[in-house]
Every structure is written in structure tokens, then in C-alpha cells.
Amino acid sequence: MTDDSRPRPVFDPDIPGGDRALLAAAPERLVPATLPAPPPPRPGLATIIGRAIWIPLFAFFYGVLPGGWIRVFFLASLDEDDLMDSVFRWGRGAVLAMMITPFFQILLILLGLGEAAALLAAASFTGWAAGAVRHVREPAAARAAREHHGRYLLPGDFDRPAARLLWRAQQAADAVLASEAHAAGLLDDARNEVALPEQEWAIARALAEHTRLRRERAAQRPERLSPRVRALLEPQRRALDLSVRSVTERVEALETYARHAREADDAYHEWQVMRCLPEQNARYRDLLAATVRDDLAREEIERLAADARRARSVLQGTSGLQDTSGFQGTRFPRD
């Protein structure tokens, strides 16, 4: 199976939209449903000690000391291109606090309000410490991949026949959603955007189960079983074949729907062409009128060219007579 016919990951439509976007944006964190769910992160003792040291230093540097200014000037002196990305990595609000807090601390100290300056420093330290703790937590995409494991299916969850059927279903659904008729509202666009993902998920779940059952049957190695045991397994084979045929018919129904959407696109395109015909006919009439004027102009130009040719002939004849008369009465020497 080539990469072009490789199905994309399928997500349960009931997964919240935010988590679904996280999963789609981080496919490297997804784990096939056939494998165990990823365990929650458990940092080791060294990691815990390192964070216990790093987080207070980080919060003190950025929240209490004018460390933000130091970082900005240091980065600016090294590489101007990386300055904005590095400074705004924590968000504009954090950068603004990083810039303003030291100024107000110094101002409060100069005004003799040391307690207020200490409270401001403590609040800033707490805020930056909380932000650092949030930063070192489990990434949101990893959390979503762990919590929703089994509610998304990857290409590794399907064998070749199942992957091929799923790819066909996805191609048909994509064709419907990308059609001009869908964009123009000629189809039931609201229902398509809900029903088609549900159909894709239902088909994917059935195909994943087909894959699991086929792998189980292959692991049983039927060629090594006695005829009596193979006869006992025959109803399972027939049930699987029946289910595969049913899912295949559902995929074919989607492909038929996609074909109807393409036919609707052609009809919609034809309607657009017909709607523009009056205006186009007027432009063609103007073009034809201009062509007639061109023919008349060409005839006029040809008449002028003929007059020019006649004038040239007359001038050439007159010039020849003058040259001949100039030699009259002239004696040429003999050799």
C-alpha cells in the first residue's frame, strides 16, 4: 500500500473539539488502539529535585529581579532575528509583567513603601512559579493522547484490506465536503459535516475489529487444525465475511454519494455558465461589431495603399523621363 492510499488517523466525533485539534496536530504522540495506553508521566527523583531547584530560581530571576531586561538585551546583542520569538514565548502578558514589575518595585522602594514592594515581588514570584509549574506538566497533546486512547484509530490498527476500505471511505467523504455543491449549500451541508465524520468513525471501528479478528484467525494457523475444529470455526468465518461485505456496501454507498456530489458540481457549473450567457453574448456582439469595423478599416487602408502604389509608379515614370532627357545632345568620347 503506497503512502497515497494510506488512511489518515480517525477520531471519535464525541471527543471534545479542543482535544481533537490537539491530537490531530501531534500525530507522533498517538498510540495505536492495539497497543496499551501510554502511562501517565512519573518523574524520577532527579527530575523532582531539579525542578525544585530550577523553578524557584526561574521565578526569582524573571519575577523579582530585572532578569527580563537582561534577557532581552542579551538576545538583542546576539541575534536580532530570534529576539521576539524568545521574548514572547511566555505570552505578552508575562513579558509585560516582566518589564514593568522591576520598575514599580524600585519606585515603591524610593517612595518608602518597602512592604508594598515586597508584596509585589512576592506576587510576581508566585505567578512566575505557577507558570513554570504549568510549563513542566504533561504536555496537553500527550495528556489527550493518553486520556482518549482507543477513541482514535491509526493506520497501524488496520491490515491492508481494512486500510484500503477506510481510505476509500475517507476519499469519498473528502470529495463531498470539498465539492462546490456542498460549499454553495446545495447539499445538506450541516448534516454532512456531522454525519460524514460519524460514518467514517463507524466504518473505522468496524474495520479495526475485522483486522483484529483476521489477525486472531491467522494466529490460530487453520492449516494445523483438524477438519472437525475447522468446521467449528466456520460460522466465525462466515460472520466475518458478512460483516466485511456490509461495511464494503456502506463504503460503496459513500462513494455513490460522492459521485452524486460531483454530478451536482457539474450541474451547478453548467447553471453558472448559463447564467452568464446573456452578458457573454453581449460581449461577443461587441467583439463582432469591432470585427466589422476592422474589415471596413482594412478596406480603407487597402485603398490608401493602392493610391500610394499608383503615386510611386507615376513618380518612378517621371524620374525615368528626366534622366533620359538629361543625356540628349551629349557626345561621348570614342575609344
Side-chain angles (χ1 to χ4, degrees):
M1 183 171 55
T2 64
D3 290 340
D4 293 339
S5 59
R6 185 179 177 86
R8 61 173 177 267
V10 186
F11 304 100
D12 184 349
D14 292 333
I15 297 177
D19 285 356
R20 197 160 59 247
L22 288 173
L23 296 173
E28 70 282 358
R29 296 189 180 275
L30 304 183
V31 179
T34 52
L35 298 179
R42 290 186 176 88
L45 180 61
T47 302
I48 294 175
I49 294 175
R51 290 176 179 177
I53 297 173
W54 173 76
I55 290 175
L57 291 177
F58 173 84
F60 185 74
F61 181 78
Y62 286 101
V64 180
L65 297 179
W69 287 103
I70 295 173
R71 182 176 177 84
V72 170
F73 292 142
F74 179 72
L75 288 174
S77 65
L78 291 180
D79 190 349
E80 188 69 22
D81 294 336
D82 295 338
L83 174 62
M84 299 309 295
D85 291 339
S86 299
V87 170
F88 287 104
R89 62 182 298 182
W90 301 292
R92 296 183 181 274
V95 173
L96 185 63
M98 179 178 66
M99 301 297 184
I100 295 178
T101 300
F103 170 78
F104 279 103
Q105 287 175 345
I106 296 173
L107 180 62
L108 291 172
I109 292 174
L110 293 177
L111 294 175
L113 302 174
E115 294 180 356
L119 289 175
L120 178 61
S124 180
F125 178 87
T126 303
W128 280 93
V133 170
R134 183 180 179 183
H135 177 73
V136 299
R137 288 187 311 182
E138 181 183 16
R143 173 198 56 78
R146 177 173 52 81
E147 292 181 352
H148 299 296
H149 181 259
R151 299 181 64 189
Y152 55 82
L153 296 171
L154 306 181
D157 291 315
F158 308 100
D159 58 9
R160 185 180 294 271
R164 179 64 183 176
L165 275 177
L166 178 58
W167 178 81
R168 287 172 53 186
Q170 291 177 339
Q171 291 293 109
D174 292 346
V176 173
L177 295 177
S179 64
E180 295 181 8
H182 172 78
L186 300 178
L187 306 177
D188 192 347
D189 51 344
R191 182 169 177 78
N192 282 338
E193 292 174 359
V194 174
L196 290 179
E198 291 178 348
Q199 290 289 334
E200 181 182 355
W201 175 244
I203 291 172
R205 288 184 61 189
L207 292 174
E209 181 65 13
H210 294 170
T211 299
R212 187 181 67 83
L213 294 176
R214 279 194 289 262
R215 288 171 177 170
E216 285 183 358
R217 287 179 58 82
Q220 292 172 348
R221 301 184 65 178
E223 70 278 3
R224 299 184 58 184
L225 301 177
S226 65
R228 180 178 63 85
V229 176
R230 285 201 298 267
L232 292 175
L233 296 177
E234 184 63 20
Q236 296 180 359
R237 186 192 65 79
R238 288 199 299 269
L240 177 59
D241 291 344
L242 181 62
S243 180
V244 170
R245 187 158 55 250
S246 175
V247 174
T248 303
E249 290 174 355
R250 182 185 294 195
V251 172
E252 291 172 349
L254 274 178
E255 291 175 331
T256 301
Y257 183 31
R259 185 169 63 253
H260 290 332
R262 287 191 294 270
E263 293 171 354
D265 278 357
D266 294 340
Y268 180 58
H269 174 71
E270 185 175 285
W271 175 80
Q272 289 179 313
V273 171
M274 294 293 292
R275 186 183 62 174
C276 296
L277 275 180
E279 178 186 353
Q280 290 178 343
N281 287 339
R283 288 161 54 193
Y284 277 94
R285 284 195 300 269
D286 294 341
L287 178 64
L288 183 59
T291 302
V292 173
R293 289 194 297 270
D294 290 341
D295 293 339
L296 296 175
R298 187 174 65 250
E299 294 176 0
E300 180 66 22
I301 292 171
E302 290 176 354
R303 285 196 297 272
L304 293 175
D307 293 342
R309 287 194 297 271
R310 286 194 296 272
R312 185 183 62 185
S313 299
V314 171
L315 290 175
Q316 287 177 347
T318 305
S319 174
L321 291 174
Q322 288 177 350
D323 292 342
T324 303
S325 62
F327 289 106
Q328 289 181 356
T330 302
R331 294 178 178 270
F332 295 95
R334 297 181 179 178
D335 292 336

